[in-house]
Amino acid sequence: MNAPASILYLHGFASTGNATKAEELRRAFGSGGEVLSPTLDPDPEKAWGQISQILNVPHEQMPLLVVGSSLGGFYADYARLRFNVACVLVNPLVEPERLEPFVGTNRNQKTGEPFEFTRKDLDSLLQMKREKEALRRSLAPALVLVAEDDELLPFRVARDHYQSLGLRIVTVPQGGHRFENAKAYLKGVEATLQQGLLHFAHKLSSAHEPLIRSSKVCGCFFCGKLFGPEEIVDWVEEGSSRPEKPVRTALCPYCPVDSVLPESPRYRLDAAFLAQMREEYFANVP
């Protein structure tokens, strides 16, 4: 079984899926489908429909990380809150009101094709902003990259906003709105991608009975044991929208703790990976 795309890239206003930041990701992390970068519709409702179609899938098929630049950063943050997915926000738009001067006819920066950005489109973004403020929190790993010399968006707005939410911020003195600092960009993406992998795996440790039963080997990231699914005896029933089909979580046959992972094409289930998971989630537990 092939792994789904690891990174979803969301471009900025009047750009395309072939944006420079997407190409940098493809060069750094592979071109064999690991990076998905759709060209988003200028209509925010349609753009969010495209993004939701990619993310509203069974968890094991979701990208590990969403990277967004400018308006794409606004969408990526919304995705973090709605889908509990790790993200990197690059000079993100925080205040959609700043797009008001662009209401009317614009041209795509890559293709030169004209497109309309309407008052209704701006209102859609403002509604998303209100929904983000209501959601506020997510446990998904997140990194915000801002350039102090951003000529389009005041860097302090994004920095202060996301600091108030407890997100990790990296500020660089130069890079402009395009964030032309490939070293900081790719280093941040790489680190958050690894955190996103652990976050992804952690979500596979609950409500996972079909995945467990289809695995040849399972592992517990509390005690570090590897074992076959047939060794599991005890299960915990989780909440389900369909009471006739309860969702169950396995308890480790050796601890027993509900920290059992199934196999996944996204990671190699071995002692080293289980140790990483324990360090991330049980570092303070003897």
Side-chain angles (χ1 to χ4, degrees):
M1 180 170 59
N2 295 325
S6 296
I7 299 174
L8 170 62
Y9 177 79
L10 305 177
H11 62 77
F13 185 81
S15 188
T16 72
N18 293 321
T20 301
K21 285 284 168 286
E23 294 303 318
E24 289 176 341
L25 292 177
R26 291 191 181 101
R27 287 194 295 270
F29 300 99
S31 57
E34 294 88 348
V35 178
L36 184 61
S37 180
T39 294
L40 301 174
D41 196 286
D43 181 330
E45 291 185 6
K46 292 180 179 178
W48 182 248
Q50 292 173 265
I51 297 166
S52 296
Q53 189 173 21
I54 295 168
L55 296 177
N56 192 22
V57 295
H59 173 65
E60 61 272 17
Q61 298 174 21
M62 284 181 65
L64 300 178
L65 179 68
V66 181
V67 180
S69 177
S70 192
L71 175 57
F74 179 86
Y75 288 139
D77 187 39
Y78 193 42
R80 173 181 70 94
L81 296 168
R82 291 288 299 271
F83 292 102
N84 192 24
V85 62
C87 71
V88 173
L89 313 178
V90 185
N91 283 334
L93 174 70
V94 174
E95 301 168 331
E97 302 91 326
R98 293 183 179 277
L99 291 178
E100 187 163 6
F102 297 94
V103 171
T105 302
N106 299 271
R107 288 195 177 272
N108 188 286
Q109 298 168 7
K110 283 280 188 178
T111 67
E113 294 180 1
F115 70 92
E116 293 295 319
F117 182 69
T118 68
R119 174 64 57 179
K120 177 178 177 292
D121 295 334
L122 180 59
D123 289 342
S124 295
L125 291 174
L126 292 171
Q127 177 60 31
M128 289 184 193
K129 178 186 176 183
R130 289 189 287 271
E131 292 175 8
K132 284 171 60 176
E133 290 170 348
L135 293 168
R136 298 288 286 181
R137 300 291 180 182
S138 169
L139 296 177
L143 172 67
V144 182
L145 299 172
V146 291
E148 292 180 1
D149 63 345
D150 187 333
E151 69 279 12
L152 296 182
L153 299 175
F155 83 95
R156 291 183 179 85
V157 173
R159 183 197 63 186
D160 296 349
H161 173 72
Y162 287 110
Q163 276 185 344
S164 72
L165 297 177
L167 272 61
R168 181 170 174 248
I169 316 290
V170 171
T171 303
V172 298
Q174 294 181 320
H177 187 64
R178 294 179 182 272
F179 203 86
E180 295 173 337
N181 187 324
K183 182 177 180 180
Y185 173 58
L186 296 176
K187 181 180 178 181
V189 169
E190 183 177 23
T192 313
L193 181 61
Q194 177 58 30
Q195 292 177 325
L197 175 61
L198 300 181
H199 182 68
F200 165 87
H202 188 261
K203 290 195 285 184
L204 291 186
S205 68
S206 63
H208 56 187
E209 184 173 4
L211 295 175
I212 291 291
R213 294 199 182 280
S214 64
S215 297
K216 293 181 180 179
V217 64
C218 304
C220 174
F221 60 91
F222 183 77
C223 69
K225 294 283 189 180
L226 291 165
F227 45 86
E230 69 279 359
E231 295 183 60
I232 297 171
V233 176
D234 296 319
W235 300 80
V236 176
E237 287 195 4
E238 306 285 356
S240 171
S241 59
R242 298 179 62 187
E244 74 279 9
K245 295 189 71 174
V247 179
R248 301 204 299 175
T249 295
L251 297 181
C252 174
Y254 294 91
C255 304
V257 175
D258 58 344
S259 301
V260 178
L261 293 179
E263 290 179 303
S264 169
R266 290 284 179 68
Y267 53 75
R268 182 173 180 174
L269 188 57
D270 57 15
F273 186 71
L274 293 175
Q276 287 183 50
M277 289 290 292
R278 179 178 172 89
E279 177 64 25
E280 182 71 14
Y281 293 101
F282 291 116
N284 298 319
V285 179

